[in-house]
Amino acid sequence: MRIEPDTIARLADLMQRHGIATLDYDLGGTALSLRMAPGAAPSGAATTATSSQASSSAAQAPAAGATRTITSPHVGFFRFTHPATAPTPSLPRVIKAGEIVGYVEALGLVHAITAGADGTLARARVAEGEPVGYGTVLFDIAD
């Protein structure tokens, strides 16, 4: 049995809306484990799934005095570069809004993560190949 990415998204949304911190599902050899990130805000489903599914990008608006971040809106594995390209860019580096800063890969699909604003990509919060979930912070952006 295959769990579709939109099903995982709906489950994560329901978990977030109803304050459920953990969901474990195992049936017929298919297993899925979702965990809400500690302190996840009600407006963003910040989960990590141990299934393999994913997609694109989102920039999170900074709170007063907070560092701006780039987050993952889907579940998958983080990649600094597209599998068809070469070297990993070094950090820190100046970026423009809309620029591709990384990728999330799942089930053979590679989805671009783009910057939501101009700034300096200060540091990566996840390592190459690390599993990421909905709302996982990928990068810090400095002005």
Side-chain angles (χ1 to χ4, degrees):
M1 178 177 170
R2 180 172 187 265
I3 301 172
E4 298 295 325
D6 62 320
T7 300
I8 294 174
R10 286 193 314 265
L11 287 170
D13 182 56
L14 287 169
M15 288 174 64
Q16 184 263 330
R17 283 191 287 156
H18 297 284
I20 299 169
T22 302
L23 173 72
D24 292 311
Y25 174 84
D26 190 355
L27 180 66
T30 299
L32 175 69
S33 180
L34 296 173
R35 308 271 181 263
M36 294 301 289
S43 63
T47 64
T48 302
T50 56
S51 181
S52 55
Q53 333 233 300
S55 197
S56 178
S57 74
Q60 199 174 39
T67 303
R68 292 182 297 152
T69 59
I70 297 174
T71 60
S72 176
H74 299 283
V75 176
F77 296 92
F78 176 74
R79 305 284 181 224
F80 283 102
T81 59
H82 191 280
T85 61
T88 301
S90 61
L91 298 177
R93 68 182 171 107
V94 175
I95 57 169
K96 298 285 184 195
E99 181 178 338
I100 296 173
V101 296
Y103 298 86
V104 174
E105 178 181 7
L107 298 174
L109 298 174
V110 180
H111 304 278
I113 303 296
T114 57
D118 295 350
T120 300
L121 206 54
R123 78 175 175 122
R125 296 265 199 104
V126 295
E128 175 73 20
E130 186 174 328
V132 296
Y134 301 99
T136 300
V137 177
L138 304 175
F139 293 100
D140 290 332
I141 300 175
D143 289 325

